[in-house]
Amino acid sequence: MNKYKETFGVDISKDVFDVHGSKTGYDQYRNNETGFRKYLKELPKGSLVVMEATGYYHYRLIQCLDGYTK
């Protein structure tokens, strides 16, 4: 049994990040504060977000997600 409400895979690049939810499907957001806020507003509590740490484009999103979970 999955303990998470939904699982999200994130592919992040310089300008955007693509998100695919196990229930909600695909969406794309700007890789900036506005995009982070929009994504966090739509992210169900109790979800798992996974991404590959490549380069440094993921750092700001991780910081936002970390603050969201506390």
Side-chain angles (χ1 to χ4, degrees):
M1 181 177 195
N2 190 348
K3 68 178 184 177
Y4 300 106
K5 239 182 207 175
E6 187 165 3
T7 302
F8 291 89
V10 177
D11 183 31
I12 196 158
S13 65
K14 179 181 176 187
D15 297 320
V16 297
F17 61 102
D18 299 298
V19 177
H20 191 277
S22 56
K23 297 177 185 173
T24 56
Y26 171 79
D27 209 343
Q28 185 178 73
Y29 303 88
R30 302 288 303 157
N31 188 4
N32 60 27
E33 191 174 336
T34 302
F36 301 153
R37 273 197 233 114
K38 183 177 177 190
Y39 179 54
L40 292 179
K41 223 186 288 186
E42 297 171 6
L43 181 65
K45 287 274 189 192
S47 294
L48 174 67
V49 178
V50 296
M51 69 183 86
E52 183 179 6
T54 56
Y56 55 87
Y57 297 125
H58 64 285
Y59 290 143
R60 292 185 310 156
L61 179 57
I62 287 174
Q63 290 172 336
C64 288
L65 288 169
D66 185 45
Y68 177 74
T69 60
K70 292 183 178 176

